[in-house]
Amino acid sequence: MPATPPASIELVAGATAELLTWAEAIESSDATTFEKARLLATRLGARGRADGLTEIGFWTPELSTGVIQPKNIVLEVFTPRQAIDPALADQEVRFRRDYVQLEKQGDYHWGVLRGLQLGNREIIGSLYWLRYLSPETNAVCIVGDCLGTSFPYGVYAPAELYDLESLQSTRADLAYFQTHNENPTVVPAPRNILQLHIKTASPNGYLSGLTTLFRELGRKLSRGENLSPAETNFLGYDAVQLLPTEPTVEYRGGRPHEDGFFSLRDGDEERLDPETEGIVSESATVRVQLRRPDLQNWGYDVVIFAGAATNPALLETLRPDELVDFIATLHTFPTGPIRLIYDLVYGHADNQAIDLLNGRFLKGPNMYGQDVNHQNPVVRAILLEMQRRKVNTGADGIRIDGGQDFKFFNPISGRVEYDDPYLLAMGDLVQEIGGDQWRPFVIYEDGRPWPAEGWEEISTYRDLVELRPDSYQWGPLIFAHNTPALKGFWAHKWHRVCEKMQFGSHWITGCGNHDTLRRGTQVDLNEPINHHLGSNLQQVLNNAYDNPAIAALTYGFAPGLPMDFIHCLMRAPWGFFRNTDDRYAVKVVAEEAPGFLDWQVTPELFAEAALFPRIKQLGFAELGQLRRFLALLVETITDTDYDLERMAEHCARAVPVETACIDVFWLKSFARQFMEDVHEACNVWLHADRLQPTQADFNLSLRRFRQARPWLGDNLAPAERLNLLAIPSTTIFYGLRWEPPITMDPSRHGVALVAHMGGETMEVRLQELFPSHCGGWQLLLASPGLELTAVDLAGDAIALSDSQALLLEPLAG
């Protein structure tokens, strides 16, 4: 049961006056507007104080004109009067609703209050937002807390007052932070990274499932128990990078049960009193319909609002503790700490951000939705504070999405320029837990001048590393446009491979990630596909992105920081799916589904009883029938310019679906149910029984190989080489590296790579590939299926097939 709240919530005059005095001193100082905003932002939002009071601050430039009467700007607080079960899909809960008038000072509203309930692991605390009466429309509008740290019922619901100090003081990994030798410690980069999408990498779809998984892995390792291939795929990493965990767009379908996860009864909605021309604001008990958030999204459709919080759909308990528990489990892993990396999206926002943020946050439309106005000094300060609070949950590193999107028109130069100072400032933030300070390591995704014409050939992928030498950037072979399922791909990319060898030590390397695997499903079937990789398209795609030769190159030879995507290792489907879109859902499905079905779904997979149940219930019993309908859908979008009414008419005439009448509602329902089916089908644990132990063991051996040889992460020295042996039908990479200091002394340890990167089987001889080496060879690792004898290594021809590779150590002659 929730703690019994006091009888009412009230503003504490003396404490509020002290807060206003502090804010006024900052506002009247000689600091720059940005410096002032940085200080004020630290006390925006709501936080419980040690004296039991609650401090609240809102940036409200939209309310600063003085047009709105102060009585029509009120803080609305909902405090639970009964226990809330976060596991329930739908429940009606009694809340006590209170109204308090905050103090306005310039562009801000401040207050210190008595009577709010702090949320914790067991209970949901008071929920709050600011309400005001619009003078233009007489509608009662909302100002949400964009810096809130808990939104158990989504971004269209009030924020929750949460006891973060108690959460931080009792976390299980406090000793991990106390190992920092200086304040602030600069966290060093890991040696490899595992990329995870929580909803489809977790056995139960929540962070709690990943916590249980890693605890079980730790237990088995400690006891020396055997691991399954699926479990093996999660081991051997010293960092985990989560796809974005911030709240995303929400489905806004316009029907009563789909308006949101937090819904007041019609009679309890705020309203205008015609006699007083004010908001009716009397404390009373109200009933609120709570729906458990069921958002499914790959994470990049962010609204910026509430970026310090965790998407509630990722939390089984709807409690922030669940995220901290996961981080603590990684930090205390029995074989050594595993670092946690956040993927931060601050370069663009979905159009729903217009509903949630005041107009100063956004500059206007772009290809993703809205440009974020980083140049406004207060917005800039709030975004940095939002990031600081997010990372202060205990993350060790950050990956900044779409660095090329941070740009602005400079009126002084008359050009559009990149906002590199802001990107660098994101990496300068100092975090603190229990008095221990650290600065996370930084990864930038930045393909500038993408999406300008010719970007793929002229991008250097080094702009930000040159400005911040201790940072990392995504390299060209892991950026979005990577299609190793095509014939001759690696020969075509040879110039980029050479760049990686020369100066790739600060590139994130590898082949498979959330972008590239999706890009693989967009390859036109008329393009030259490398069918040596498999007998059907699904096998081709799986073997292209979980490839022994590419892995041997990445882990066993090439410089840089390797990263793997769990869906590639688990050979599980992956795509751009979301049940959070009503307006463009049909269009997104038409664009994504045909390639997804061609490359990732076989008739046998579709026929499995547990998969695609919703689509089957709509009448699509066979994969071929679904493909034909989607082909028609693509055609109608082109013919009607995405006019859903005309599309429905066309589809209804052409495709007899017996279970329903095809209208606009049916099309939207089809799109949503297809996305939800795909989301379920992409969970990696549904595909675990198809894994080959030899492949999982080889990949783990490579990860351990790299961990034992950190010098491989450095750029190639002048005496080291990677060479290309290419004929029209085959591509072979081979090279030799030496452990530093490199003296060419044959007694030094070295690593030789021979990797078949695609095409017909070819015989190679080591003495011909490495004529300057006069000694013998010791086999270090060979890809599954490649069995070599001492005779093979001594001089006989070695037959290498597509994707096979070996790593050797040169022996003294």
Side-chain angles (χ1 to χ4, degrees), residues 543-623:
N543 290 326
Y545 289 101
D546 179 22
N547 187 285
I550 299 172
L553 172 69
T554 302
Y555 277 94
F557 193 87
L561 174 51
M563 184 177 79
D564 296 320
F565 185 37
I566 192 61
H567 283 73
C568 296
L569 298 179
M570 300 286 274
R571 297 169 167 250
W574 170 255
F576 173 35
F577 47 78
R578 59 184 186 187
N579 68 356
T580 53
D581 187 343
D582 177 62
R583 183 176 181 184
Y584 293 110
V586 178
K587 187 173 186 292
V588 171
V589 166
E591 292 171 346
E592 295 288 324
F596 177 87
L597 294 177
D598 285 341
W599 283 96
Q600 305 211 73
V601 181
T602 62
E604 295 76 18
L605 187 67
F606 186 81
E608 291 190 13
L611 298 181
F612 301 99
R614 300 170 185 83
I615 291 299
K616 291 171 183 174
Q617 194 171 23
L618 286 177
F620 299 98
E622 297 178 354
L623 181 59

Side-chain angles (χ1 to χ4, degrees), residues 449 453-461 492-493 495-496 499:
E453 185 176 354
W455 71 270
E456 197 166 5
E457 294 303 319
I458 61 178
S459 315
T460 67
Y461 303 92
H492 174 69
K493 290 289 185 180
H495 66 293
R496 288 298 196 185
E499 289 176 342

